[in-house]
Structure formats: structure tokens, C-alpha cells
């Protein structure tokens, strides 16, 4: 009998992360999904997936989960947790704490998570997918809104590219993803896509990661300039 594949969803209690957990579980994967507050993760509990505690902005929390999962083979790692931060329309100063939170969550967290789970994903010769955003694309930028978020996702893309160069040598495929504009707490009610549509598209991209390694793609598989 073939062993089920394992998907680790980092930031899986709502929005796109929850939808990834739902779709991978429905597809027969063993799903490990994280939440900052596992006791409140009712939707994940309903799915019957393994729930683990993780705050991606805290080194000790990442280390604790890494130790707990040591030796496990992970076929798909979804680095999803992210925050938007200050919603400015144009360039504007902001509190250092607000800026730091965005950078720590969207950039430093994913860097640490890459290192923490590299062995697990290498063991499966699996895929690491990072939830970036088109707003981090310098090549297509046409607005200065949400500058902390834009800067963080551009920096995340540099982390992803660097990870692809290192981990590619160990058989790990690494991609940066833009989910589209999606109706979640972050995307808001006017967004054009449902989480179901967005995640189905991104999972298709992830399935083709061996051809897409080291690149930045939207939910339809179209390449986005860095
Ligand atoms: N929705 C869109 O249109 C859109 C577009 C482009 C890119 N994205 C990206 O897609 C990803 C998911 O977005 P979403 O729309 O699903 O956002 P969301 O609805 O705001 O959900 C964000 C998720 O990240 C988790 N999270 C935030 N900070 C965390 C931390 N320090 N530690 C652990 N978990 C943390 C949240 O957990 P809590 O419940 O504990 O806060 C929640 O599960 C993000 O990286 C976002 O930047 C979204």
C-alpha cells in the first residue's frame, strides 16, 4: 500500500491556509496545519487534521515545532502566514513596531521556517511554496499603497530565490506564489476569487513545481516578474 503524502500548512486556521488544509485533506494527504491558538482552531478540528501550535514571528515557537516534527518526511510545505500591516494609500511614515511586525512575519519568519523544515522536505524531495503577492513585484509595481507589505513581499521573494538555489541541490522544489485577489479577511469582500478557486489553482502550480522551480507565479501558473 502506498503511504499517504504529508502537507504541512504554516498558518492554517483561516483564509487561504485553511483552504489548503481542506483541499489537501480531501485529496488524501496527511495534513499538519498550524495555528497560533490551536484551542480556537475549530474549523481545522472539524477537518480532522493534525493541529500544531506555531507563531511564525517567534524563533522559539519555530524551533519547538521543528523539534517535534524532526525526522518526518514532508512532501508539500505551504508557508502561508502573513500580515498586511499599515494600509497607507501613498508613501508615508509609520510606527517602527508596525513595520517590524510586517517584516518579522512576512520575511524573517519564512527564512527561519525554510531552515527549520529543510531536512523534512528534502527527505521527501518535496516542494516548498511561499505565499508572496503580486504587490511585491517591483517589475510590475504601479501603486505605492501598502508600502510595508510590498517591501516585505519583495524581500520574501529574495528569500525564496535564495532558498531555491540552496535547496534545489537537495532535490527540493521551491516556488513563490501570488494567490490572486481572494475573498479572505486580508483580501476583503470585493476580491475577485474565492479561496476554493485560488487554492485549486495554486495546487496545480505546486504539482508542476519541478518545471517551475525558483520562479514567481500566480494562481493560473503565469510567471510574474520579480
Ligand atoms: N487574500 C489575498 O487577496 C492575498 C493576495 C496576495 C497574497 N496573499 C497572501 O496569502 C497569505 C494568506 O493570506 P489570507 O488572505 O489567507 O490572509 P488572512 O485571512 O489574513 O489569514 C492570515 C493567516 O496568517 C496567520 N498568521 C498571521 N501572522 C501569524 C503569525 N505570526 N504566526 C502564525 N500565523 C500567523 C493568521 O493566523 P491568526 O488567525 O492567528 O491571525 C491567519 O491564519 C498571506 O501570506 C498573504 O500575504 C493574500
Amino acid at each position: 500500500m502506498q503511504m499517504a503524502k504529508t502537507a504541512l500548512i504554516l498558518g492554517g486556521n483561516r483564509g487561504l491556509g485553511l483552504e489548503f488544509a481542506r483541499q489537501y485533506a480531501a485529496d488524501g494527504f496527511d495534513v499538519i496545519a498550524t495555528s497560533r491558538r490551536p484551542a480556537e482552531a475549530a474549523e481545522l478540528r472539524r477537518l480532522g487534521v493534525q493541529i500544531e501550535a506555531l507563531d511564525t514571528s517567534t524563533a522559539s515557537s519555530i524551533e519547538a515545532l521543528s523539534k517535534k516534527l524532526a525526522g518526518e518526511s514532508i512532501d508539500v510545505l505551504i508557508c502561508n502566514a502573513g500580515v498586511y500591516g499599515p494600509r497607507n494609500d501613498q508613501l508615508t511614515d509609520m510606527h517602527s513596531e508596525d513595520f517590524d511586525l510586517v517584516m518579522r512575519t512576512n520575511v524573517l519568519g519564512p527564512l527561519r521556517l525554510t531552515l527549520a523544515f529543510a531536512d523534512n522536505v528534502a527527505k521527501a524531495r518535496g516542494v516548498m511554496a511561499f505565499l508572496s503577492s503580486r504587490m511585491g513585484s517591483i517589475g510590475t509595481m504601479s501603486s505605492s499603497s501598502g508600502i510595508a507589505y510590498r517591501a516585505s513581499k519583495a524581500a520574501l521573494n529574495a528569500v525564496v530565490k535564495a532558498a531555491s538555489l540552496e535547496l534545489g541541490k537537495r532535490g527540493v522544489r521551491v516556488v513563490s506564489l501570488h494567490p490572486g485577489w481572494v475573498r479572505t479577511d486580508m483580501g476583503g469582500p470585493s476580491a475577485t476569487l474565492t479561496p476554493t478557486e485560488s487554492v485549486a489553482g495554486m495546487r496545480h502550480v505546486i504539482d508542476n513545481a519541478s518545471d517551475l522551480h525558483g520562479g514567481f507565479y500566480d494562481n493560473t501558473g503565469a510567471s510574474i516578474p520579480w
Side-chain angles (χ1 to χ4, degrees), residues 10-18 34-37 54-58 79-84 101 105-106 131-134 149 153 177-188 191:
L10 304 170
N13 58 295
R14 61 186 166 100
L16 292 167
L18 178 62
T34 74
S35 169
R36 286 196 265 201
R37 291 169 297 278
L54 177 68
D55 183 334
T56 64
S57 65
T58 310
C79 190
N80 171 75
V83 291
Y84 192 91
L101 178 69
T105 310
N106 294 359
L131 272 287
S132 180
S133 170
R134 185 184 289 279
Y149 184 74
K153 293 298 189 180
L177 299 176
H178 168 62
W181 185 25
V182 193
R183 292 197 285 281
T184 62
D185 293 337
M186 187 185 291

Side-chain angles (χ1 to χ4, degrees), residues 124-147:
R125 298 182 74 79
V127 181
M128 281 192 185
F130 293 81
L131 272 287
S132 180
S133 170
R134 185 184 289 279
M135 287 181 70
S137 165
I138 295 171
T140 64
M141 196 180 294
S142 60
S143 158
S144 58
S145 65
I147 190 61

Side-chain angles (χ1 to χ4, degrees), residues 101-116:
L101 178 69
V102 176
M103 296 304 276
R104 205 163 61 242
T105 310
N106 294 359
V107 188
L108 182 57
L111 170 61
R112 287 176 169 156
L113 292 162
T114 301
L115 297 169

Side-chain angles (χ1 to χ4, degrees), residues 33-82:
T34 74
S35 169
R36 286 196 265 201
R37 291 169 297 278
E40 295 169 24
E43 300 258 24
L44 284 177
R45 239 188 335 277
R46 261 195 291 282
L47 290 179
V49 303
Q50 182 179 334
I51 306 171
E52 298 292 349
L54 177 68
D55 183 334
T56 64
S57 65
T58 310
S60 57
S61 178
I62 294 174
E63 200 184 325
L65 184 62
S66 168
K67 274 197 182 135
K68 188 161 185 188
L69 299 183
E72 286 205 27
S73 178
I74 292 169
D75 298 276
V76 180
L77 179 145
I78 308 287
C79 190
N80 171 75

